[in-house]
Amino acid sequence: MKAAHEGYSFVLNDNVTRTKAEFHNRYGIKLVGDLYIPKTAEGKMPAIAITGPFGAVKEQSAGLYADELAGRGFITLAFDPSFIGESGGEVRNVASPDINTEDFSAAVDFLSLQENTDPERIGILGICGFGGMAINAAAMDTRIKATVASTMYDMTRVNAKGYFDEADSADARFEMKKALNAQRTEDYRNGTYKRAGGVAEEVPADAPFFIKDYHDYYKTERGYTERSLNSNEGWNMTSALSFVNMPILKYSNEIRSAVLVMHGEKAHSCYFSKDAYAAMVKDNPYADNKELLIIPEAVHTDLYDQKDIIPFDKLESFFNQYLK
């Protein structure tokens, strides 16, 4: 299978130009992205850095968001996080709650120095697992003036506790860590890193709906791209270890800048957004610029690429309001 549109899962907007961008994070890892600029761009403009979903690449959902928002008057940067896609970092195909949060700030570094962007009007947008990273970055980086988390996962929570917290026990975590650390030994012995496998090629009829939902995106022409982890061999098996041990969102209720959390009503993952929003506004004196938007009837991957469901008018007004 090949990506539907010359390496991308979507068609480039006629009113937007797309050029390659390279920058580095604070750990010296080279990050690679696509810079989307409106053809009518003039002067210093607001900018938005975008990445996700977790296991996807810039040629998929992040690029689609970047393309659409650039068509609405923003300079946007869709980028591959560290260790995946065209971005650098060894070993490949791993994730890190620390480094992937830093990747957002590295994108802000880059956008802040562009001749056509206003460093005082920079926002970020994270999709799926990078929605949680985006909120985490907003808690750290005061340069970020507006944040959107779309169809978010808290990857530290789901790795440590399982879906719906059904494996939230010390014994369950011990057995998981025991297996992952045994895999570490094997990986080191073999000099390779065993992959976990991406989304399955075939889904049983009795599989949970969200498994079918992922398959319909990652394994079909709708969302498949060649570099995508989820469309191919997946993450390294041991990638989950740091997420089990290092929870994100610890200081989310200290975020002063604007945050919009949006999720589909029918998404299996909706509880992540509801809980993250509740924690973010609890005892936060800056809660007035925080919003939870639940989209009726939408499922998880609807917010990856369904332009008739993704509330782009809302995103445009949100970023216009807080990046003014």
Side-chain angles (χ1 to χ4, degrees):
M1 183 183 297
K2 292 185 177 180
H5 305 286
E6 299 182 344
Y8 293 80
S9 64
F10 60 94
V11 177
L12 183 67
N13 190 318
D14 289 339
N15 299 317
V16 171
T17 61
R18 178 171 62 203
T19 57
K20 196 69 71 180
E22 294 185 357
F23 53 104
H24 63 274
N25 68 18
R26 199 165 48 88
Y27 297 103
I29 298 171
K30 182 179 78 172
L31 302 177
V32 178
D34 287 325
L35 197 61
Y36 293 77
I37 302 176
K39 290 181 178 178
T40 57
E42 293 182 358
K44 295 280 190 178
M45 299 181 61
I48 306 165
I50 306 170
T51 195
F54 198 78
V57 286
K58 65 185 179 301
E59 291 86 0
Q60 295 175 300
S61 181
L64 180 144
Y65 273 74
D67 178 68
E68 178 67 23
L69 288 169
R72 292 167 178 258
F74 302 92
I75 290 176
T76 57
L77 173 68
F79 66 94
D80 289 331
S82 295
F83 309 112
I84 70 169
E86 290 189 291
S87 287
E90 296 291 342
V91 171
R92 306 301 298 160
N93 310 312
V94 294
S96 162
D98 175 19
I99 295 173
N100 293 147
T101 297
E102 156 64 21
D103 289 341
F104 272 112
S105 287
V108 175
D109 293 340
F110 173 78
L111 290 172
S112 295
L113 298 183
Q114 301 309 297
E115 290 184 357
N116 53 359
T117 62
D118 184 345
E120 297 301 319
R121 294 192 290 164
I122 295 178
I124 62 174
L125 191 155
I127 306 158
C128 187
F130 283 93
M133 304 290 189
I135 295 174
N136 207 43
M140 176 182 72
D141 195 332
T142 57
R143 300 171 301 170
I144 297 169
K145 300 302 192 296
T147 299
V148 171
S150 176
T151 195
M152 73 158 282
Y153 265 53
D154 177 346
M155 295 307 302
T156 55
R157 178 178 176 181
V158 74
N159 277 297
K161 301 180 180 182
Y163 281 103
F164 310 107
D165 300 338
E166 290 178 350
D168 186 14
S169 74
D171 287 343
R173 278 186 286 276
F174 178 81
E175 293 301 323
M176 174 177 54
K177 289 184 281 189
K178 185 177 177 182
L180 291 175
N181 283 298
Q183 185 62 51
R184 284 187 66 139
T185 304
E186 287 302 305
D187 287 347
Y188 197 80
R189 176 181 291 115
N190 297 331
T192 59
Y193 293 84
K194 187 173 182 180
R195 304 284 286 275
V199 174
E201 291 288 345
E202 296 183 4
V203 178
D206 60 350
F209 171 77
F210 75 91
I211 300 296
K212 299 175 182 178
D213 190 28
Y214 284 134
H215 181 275
D216 288 347
Y217 180 76
Y218 287 107
K219 287 294 189 177
T220 69
E221 188 178 271
R222 171 185 165 194
Y224 179 89
T225 64
E226 287 80 357
R227 295 192 184 101
S228 170
L229 274 66
N230 290 344
S231 293
N232 296 289
E233 288 81 31
W235 298 94
N236 289 357
M237 286 190 69
T238 57
S239 187
L241 270 169
S242 60
F243 288 84
V244 175
N245 207 42
M246 301 177 187
I248 59 175
L249 307 182
K250 176 69 174 176
Y251 297 106
S252 65
N253 70 336
E254 295 183 4
I255 298 173
R256 300 188 181 191
S257 57
V259 180
L260 169 64
V261 181
M262 63 184 199
H263 220 113
E265 177 191 20
K266 300 295 186 182
H268 69 283
S269 50
C270 192
Y271 71 101
F272 289 121
S273 282
K274 290 179 178 177
D275 290 355
Y277 174 78
M280 182 169 52
V281 299
K282 183 179 180 182
D283 301 323
N284 187 343
Y286 300 90
D288 289 348
N289 57 1
K290 312 295 187 292
E291 183 176 353
L292 175 65
L293 176 63
I294 302 299
I295 299 160
E297 300 300 317
V299 299
H300 185 81
T301 68
D302 282 342
L303 299 192
Y304 283 10
D305 66 336
Q306 299 302 296
K307 288 189 174 182
D308 59 336
I309 296 176
I310 300 169
F312 278 113
D313 288 345
K314 173 64 177 180
L315 294 181
E316 180 181 358
S317 64
F318 173 80
F319 281 122
N320 275 330
Q321 179 179 358
Y322 293 108
L323 300 182
K324 59 186 177 182

